[in-house]
Every structure is written in structure tokens, then in C-alpha cells.
Amino acid sequence: MELAKRMGLIKPSPTLSLNAKAGALKAAGVDVVSFAAGEPDFPTPDHIKSAAIKAIEDNFTRYTDVGGILELRQAVAAKFERDNGLKYEPNQIVVSCGGKHTLYNLAQALWGEGDEVIVPAPYWVSYPPIVLLAGAEPVIVTTEESNGFKLTPEELKAAISPRTKALILNSPSNPTGGVYSREELEALAEVVLEHDLTVISDDIYEKILYDGLKFHNMANLGPEMASRTIIAHGLAKTYSMTGWRIGFMAGPKEVAAAVNKVQSQSTSNATSIAQKAAVAALNGPEDSVDMMRKAFDERRRFIVDALNAIDGVTCLLPGGSFYVFPNFSGCFGKSFNGKVMQGSGDLAEFLLEEARIAAVPGVAFGEDACIRFSYATSMETIKKGLERLAEGLAKLS
């Protein structure tokens, strides 16, 4: 049977593939330390779980409005006004089956053949495939580690062509943990306005910030930017709700209507029970968020110091998210049992097979010099994994 040509354009998610390989080793009884997962290691808070249980007991188990129940869209709108000073009506919000689904819906609604979308690298692994599946072309812009892997106005301007429709911006970033300041966003916004671009602002790590950093996105810069910014967001990272699959978008009502139409012909509504849990998450206490952030901060500082103490490795201190993106280029060119480490893929495979560490090669994020480590795991696990990392790298010659 012949597959659609679009299937030749994309590859399976490397993060999920690596998780599967590490999982297979664990199932076989091998002790693998995994730094690959992109999800908090804390349980979903009890008040959120209770709301879902109540929804089941109340038989709230049928189809809902395609774009989400009104109660949830109102809770999302309240969140944006409370946390970000942004005002949206419920008809400007669409609830989907996770942040990835939100981004996919937006791509299907906004772009098509001949369109170009600027994607700064390092990027979250699914941005380019999502653009490709819409028939558009991702234009990858390589950013500099010396600038914290953040896009500059000059880099943005150089990537724009007459076919450019949009810019995808993720802050705090997966995989780098980089955070854009308001001033940096204002400089980019000048280019966006000059060239009449749309901005997709992926804010999924909004509340995982450190060192007193403040969250800003393009929509915060005034009415003109708010009108051309579409926010993609969700509950997975903030409330440890990865498996609940609740994401949402906020933007111009015509975009929301188009996304709603796309969703009506694909998944229909997000799970009714999870929607009730989402209401509880957005309207409830934030104690668990503060607790997780404090734990992540302690781990962040430890893992960065430990990585920088290893010969051949350098690592920036991330301002947000729960990832570090250390540079391993000092290890490239070395070998083990005759195999030369030529890039992040070779090194990640070596670490899994010889050091029993799972981490995602940076080539999957558009930066082959680095490897992504998630510190959304216990301090005990982090310490054990870094000991293995140092021992494993010492085997290279």
C-alpha cells in the first residue's frame, strides 16, 4: 500500500522514540537513568483529580462543545486577564487535546502551500513537522549560544521573504530554557510589524521561571501586537497534567473560529472529564506550582554546576522550563571501541548503551552540538545520572 507523500517529510518524535528505547531496556531489567522525559515528576494536585472524579460521578461524560465547555473557556480568559493583563472573550479561545494539538490546529487553519514559517533553532522537535504537515515550509534560523540561543532582530529580518507568514516563538524555551525579556521582544516586534507577520507564542512553560524573571510575550506589547499574536498554551507543565491532554489557544476570533472548524472535523472536543479538571486547575490554588518550581530550581542549579565540572562539557544556566542544553562539542572526535563520536546522535547512543543514561540528542532540536537533559526527575536520580555521565565520557579517547 502506498503512503501519502507527506509521510516522507516527517519523522517520529525523537523524544518519544528515545523514551521508548529506554523503556524497553528498563523492561528488560536494565537500570537506565532517564533525562529524556518532558513532563514534571510530581503528581497532579489532589483538588484537580477530585474535580475529575466528581465529573464522572455527575455523569459528565458526553460530548461537549467542540472548542470546550463555556466554563473552561471563561476560566482560560480569567487566567489571561489575571496573569497577563490580556482580555479575551470566550469566542476567542479554543480548548484542544493538548498543546501539540493546539499548534497542529493553528497550522492547519493558517498556512498552506507556498507559505513560509520562521522557526528559530534550537526548536521544540514538533514545530517543523507541524508546519510541513500544513503544506508550508519551515524556515530554520540558527541562533547563537553566546546570545542564550535567542533570536535577534537581525536574524529574523534576514530570514524573511515575500512568502513569510509567521514566526513561532517559545519562551521559556524547550530545549534551552532561554527566556526573552520584554526589551528583546520589543525589538523583534518592530520587525514583525514592519513585515506584517503573525506570531505564534508558545507559552506552555510560562510559570516555570527562576531568579525573579518576569514572563512576557508578544501580546503584552500593546494592541497592535496583541492583534497579530496567537497564544498556544496548556496545563501539562504548570499543573503536572501531561496525560490529561488539555491545551488551548487565544487570539483573534476569526482564527479561533477557523481552529474550531478544523477541530470539528478531526477530534471534536477534548475529554469532558479533563475539561472539568482543567477548570479546577485554573481557578484553584497555586501552591503546587510554587512547590514544583522551587524543587526544579534546586535541581537546575545542581545539574548546571555538575555538568560544567565535567571535562569537555559546558552548560548555560537556564532561566525557565525544566531543561538544560549542555554543549558536548568538546567530546566530538573522540572514540569508543573504534566508533568516533561525530555528533549528538552518536554521543546520545553511546551514553544510553554504555552509561545507561537516556537524553535527547540536540540534532533533534536543530543544534547538533548539544544534548537536552530534563531535570524533571528526583535529585537522587540526577546525581546518579551525572556520576554515570562523567564515568561514561571518561571512557572516550
Side-chain angles (χ1 to χ4, degrees), residues 17-282:
S17 298
L18 195 74
N19 278 340
K21 189 171 183 180
L25 285 171
K26 287 182 178 180
V30 178
D31 178 25
V32 175
V33 173
S34 180
F35 291 102
E39 60 180 347
D41 56 312
F42 300 96
T44 303
D46 288 341
H47 70 282
I48 299 173
K49 293 187 285 189
S50 295
I53 293 167
K54 186 176 186 304
I56 295 171
E57 291 173 341
D58 291 346
N59 294 312
F60 192 76
T61 55
R62 299 185 181 277
Y63 295 132
T64 74
D65 290 344
V66 168
I69 58 176
L70 179 59
E71 183 185 13
L72 177 51
R73 286 181 285 126
Q74 288 172 332
V76 171
K79 169 262 176 298
F80 280 120
E81 186 166 7
R82 178 179 64 244
D83 295 344
N84 311 108
L86 298 170
K87 291 190 176 182
Y88 295 102
E89 297 298 323
N91 65 359
Q92 294 179 272
I93 293 163
V94 179
V95 177
S96 301
C97 305
K100 186 182 291 189
H101 187 215
T102 295
L103 289 161
Y104 181 86
N105 285 344
L106 284 168
Q108 294 297 314
L110 293 171
W111 309 316
E113 198 72 34
D115 294 337
E116 292 180 351
V117 179
I118 294 175
V119 181
Y123 45 73
W124 179 50
V125 295
S126 290
Y127 292 149
I130 284 171
V131 173
L132 286 167
L133 285 169
E137 183 70 25
V139 176
I140 308 302
V141 179
T142 301
T143 60
E144 299 298 324
E145 185 174 4
S146 59
N147 191 44
F149 291 118
K150 289 185 279 188
L151 183 70
T152 67
E154 294 74 23
E155 290 165 343
L156 173 59
K157 191 175 294 186
I160 294 171
S161 81
R163 296 195 298 160
T164 306
K165 297 295 184 182
L167 163 68
I168 298 178
L169 208 59
N170 176 213
S171 174
S173 164
N174 175 5
T176 71
V179 179
Y180 285 86
S181 67
R182 185 181 179 94
E183 292 72 24
E184 288 167 333
L185 292 177
E186 286 173 339
L188 292 172
E190 290 183 13
V191 181
V192 168
L193 291 170
E194 179 185 350
H195 294 274
D196 192 28
L197 304 183
T198 297
V199 176
I200 307 299
S201 183
D202 184 351
D203 298 354
I204 194 76
Y205 295 96
E206 173 190 349
K207 293 195 176 182
I208 307 177
L209 287 167
Y210 312 109
D211 302 326
L213 291 177
K214 302 296 184 184
F215 176 78
H216 302 282
N217 65 21
M218 288 287 199
N220 293 137
L221 304 184
E224 197 170 10
M225 278 308 305
S227 69
R228 63 180 62 243
T229 299
I230 304 163
I231 299 174
H233 213 313
L235 306 183
K237 316 300 182 178
T238 302
Y239 301 103
S240 197
M241 293 178 69
T242 51
W244 297 78
R245 309 312 301 140
I246 293 289
F248 48 84
M249 64 134 290
K253 62 182 179 181
E254 62 272 18
V255 175
V259 166
N260 200 73
K261 186 185 295 185
V262 170
Q263 188 160 299
S264 74
Q265 298 294 356
S266 54
T267 62
S268 297
N269 59 275
T271 303
S272 59
I273 299 158
Q275 289 189 60
K276 284 290 190 179
V279 173
L282 290 168

Side-chain angles (χ1 to χ4, degrees), residues 289-352:
V289 180
D290 295 335
M291 178 275 294
M292 285 193 293
R293 184 168 50 240
K294 288 176 183 176
F296 288 147
D297 188 17
E298 182 185 1
R299 299 169 188 179
R300 172 185 71 122
R301 294 179 181 279
F302 178 85
I303 197 170
V304 169
D305 288 346
L307 285 165
N308 280 318
I310 298 174
D311 188 40
V313 183
T314 60
C315 185
L316 298 175
L317 182 68
S321 77
F322 40 69
Y323 308 106
V324 286
F325 202 52
N327 188 315
F328 283 86
S329 58
C331 301
F332 298 162
K334 297 182 178 181
S335 62
F336 178 77
N337 287 345
K339 182 173 181 178
V340 178
M341 302 295 114
Q342 297 182 335
S344 63
D346 288 341
L347 191 58
E349 185 175 352
F350 162 77
L351 291 175
L352 182 58

